Amino acid sequence: MRVSIFDVAKKSGLSVVTVSRVLNNAKTVREKNRIKVLQAMKELDYHPNAAARSLAKGKTGVIGMIVTTLQDSFLDSIVQTVYSQLKDHGYYLALSVAAEPMEQGVGTDLIQEDRVDGMLILSAVHEEPYVVELKKRKIPFVLIDNQTIQPSVTNVNVDNYKGGYEATKHLIDLGHRSIAHIRGPQFFLSALERERGFRGAVEDAGLEPYAIEDGAFSIQSGYDAVQRWLKKGSMPTALFAADDFTAIGAINALWQAGYKVPDDMSVIGYDDQVIASQLRPQLTTMRQPAHQIGRVAVDQLIKQINGLNKRSVTTRLDSEIVIRESTSAPRQL
């Protein structure tokens, strides 16, 4: 038979109210009574029902998180950090993967049925439907890598303009003058900002872009862009790819056509995916601070839940360049 709170009260010789106060860490309980209750719980091997305690406190002890994919080591690192940080705060993480905004049955049930104390929205393609619903239900939330500028919403993102500028400037500083960019999908704010950084660096150096090609943050889009240059019979000496997957696709196409990286073309990516350091040549890239992003997002959310953040907060972090083998000075002909 399952031990109940009544059994604990009887064993300790105290009232059910006192036992309940001990379970909820009330400061009004005398220390000697607290010890009696804890000893009775130990002897009876009593474990309080988590759901009941959450109901009594008016909280679930759960934080929801919506992501668009887990097939990405950068996003995966953020999720792992969030999980670890929430665990330290005594929260469980409920994860939903939604490829489309407010996808039926994915993420919406966490919000609409009040199953969570707060929400984290990670790199959603369209975050606005979530923002509207969360505000309506007054659920604390933080946007991570948001796709629209949201000054009225607490958000954590990376300065992608600065990252795009520094990636391109690295190529310029090496001596490259014919530099191309394969951009990401235009509905991603990060892609737009990286392209803007590329344009800014090229313009400041008094250069013109060799080309700006459409991409999809994918290996295939990088491969296809280089194939177009090969068919045209003209190649840049350097490439800034909007992400590491695009860079990998470009390197594959170059290798297949007999071009060497970085001898014939320097290539720099973005994100510092796990595979970036495992490629041959190892990929030069812009490393996003995944762990810092996760820590800041959780910190901001917990402050909201505890009523410490009355206003929205925007945090913008910096990427850092990781120079490996895929970039070098242009070959002298």
Side-chain angles (χ1 to χ4, degrees):
M1 181 180 295
R2 183 170 181 171
V3 178
S4 71
I5 191 173
F6 299 100
D7 298 316
V8 175
K10 184 177 180 180
K11 180 74 173 178
S12 65
L14 299 168
S15 68
V16 172
V17 173
T18 299
V19 173
S20 177
R21 287 174 177 168
V22 172
L23 294 176
N24 289 289
N25 297 314
K27 296 180 180 180
T28 56
V29 180
R30 294 177 181 176
E31 187 58 27
K32 66 176 183 179
N33 288 341
R34 186 185 304 277
I35 293 173
K36 285 182 179 179
V37 171
L38 294 176
Q39 183 61 35
M41 289 171 59
K42 183 177 180 181
E43 292 178 6
L44 294 171
D45 193 26
Y46 173 72
H47 301 282
N49 185 286
R53 290 180 66 188
S54 295
L55 185 62
K57 293 180 179 180
K59 293 186 176 182
T60 66
V62 176
I63 299 298
M65 187 173 195
I66 297 173
V67 300
T68 52
T69 180
L70 288 177
Q71 296 178 343
D72 184 300
S73 64
F74 163 63
L75 299 180
D76 183 59
S77 292
I78 294 177
V79 173
Q80 289 186 40
T81 300
V82 166
Y83 170 79
S84 176
Q85 294 293 304
L86 288 176
K87 187 177 180 182
D88 290 343
H89 286 283
Y91 284 94
Y92 293 99
L93 176 64
L95 192 65
S96 290
V97 181
E100 298 295 333
M102 302 294 281
E103 183 179 337
Q104 183 65 35
V106 181
T108 56
D109 53 344
L110 294 176
I111 299 171
Q112 295 172 350
E113 296 181 22
D114 298 325
R115 295 181 177 183
V116 295
D117 295 331
M119 287 290 298
L120 296 166
I121 312 298
L122 174 56
S123 197
V125 175
H126 302 288
E127 68 251 356
E128 195 58 34
Y130 297 114
V131 171
V132 171
E133 190 71 14
L134 288 162
K135 281 185 173 181
K136 183 175 73 174
R137 295 183 176 275
K138 297 182 179 180
I139 297 174
F141 69 98
V142 174
L143 298 181
I144 305 172
D145 189 27
N146 41 294
Q147 307 313 326
T148 56
I149 298 173
Q150 299 266 8
S152 65
V153 172
T154 294
N155 59 90
V156 181
N157 50 53
V158 169
D159 190 338
N160 285 286
Y161 170 82
K162 184 177 179 182
Y165 191 101
E166 290 182 356
T168 308
K169 190 174 185 302
H170 168 65
L171 299 173
I172 293 169
D173 289 345
L174 287 171
H176 291 280
R177 296 295 178 264
S178 178
I179 307 171
H181 177 54
I182 305 174
R183 62 190 181 187
Q186 296 300 280
F187 49 76
F188 281 111
L189 180 60
S190 58
L192 293 172
E193 289 295 282
R194 290 171 197 176
E195 179 187 342
R196 195 166 68 86
F198 167 78
R199 290 180 182 273
V202 168
E203 182 179 341
D204 287 350
L207 304 174
E208 290 289 334
Y210 169 84
I212 296 177
E213 301 282 350
D214 288 334
F217 286 157
S218 68
I219 292 175
Q220 189 64 49
S221 66
Y223 182 91
D224 291 344
V226 172
Q227 288 294 327
R228 288 193 290 272
W229 298 336
L230 289 167
K231 289 178 181 178
K232 189 169 65 172
S234 175
M235 302 286 281
T237 65
L239 166 65
F240 166 40
D243 80 328
D244 290 345
F245 293 121
T246 303
I248 291 168
I251 290 172
N252 285 348
L254 290 167
W255 175 82
Q256 188 179 64
Y259 287 79
K260 293 182 179 180
V261 175
D263 295 349
D264 298 309
M265 187 186 296
S266 286
V267 178
I268 184 171
Y270 210 108
D271 289 339
D272 195 26
Q273 299 281 347
V274 170
I275 195 173
S277 62
Q278 300 173 351
L279 290 173
R280 295 297 179 270
Q282 294 179 337
L283 183 65
T284 296
T285 186
M286 298 300 298
R287 176 182 292 158
Q288 296 208 65
H291 299 299
Q292 189 179 3
I293 291 170
R295 286 194 298 269
V296 172
V298 170
D299 179 65
Q300 293 296 343
L301 183 61
I302 296 300
K303 285 180 179 177
Q304 280 189 62
I305 291 172
N306 293 334
L308 300 178
N309 268 2
K310 302 294 185 180
R311 298 179 180 178
S312 60
V313 177
T314 294
T315 303
R316 182 169 289 188
L317 305 172
D318 289 335
S319 300
E320 64 172 315
I321 191 167
V322 181
I323 300 174
R324 297 194 178 104
E325 301 168 345
S326 66
T327 53
S328 68
R331 185 173 60 177
Q332 298 297 321
L333 300 177

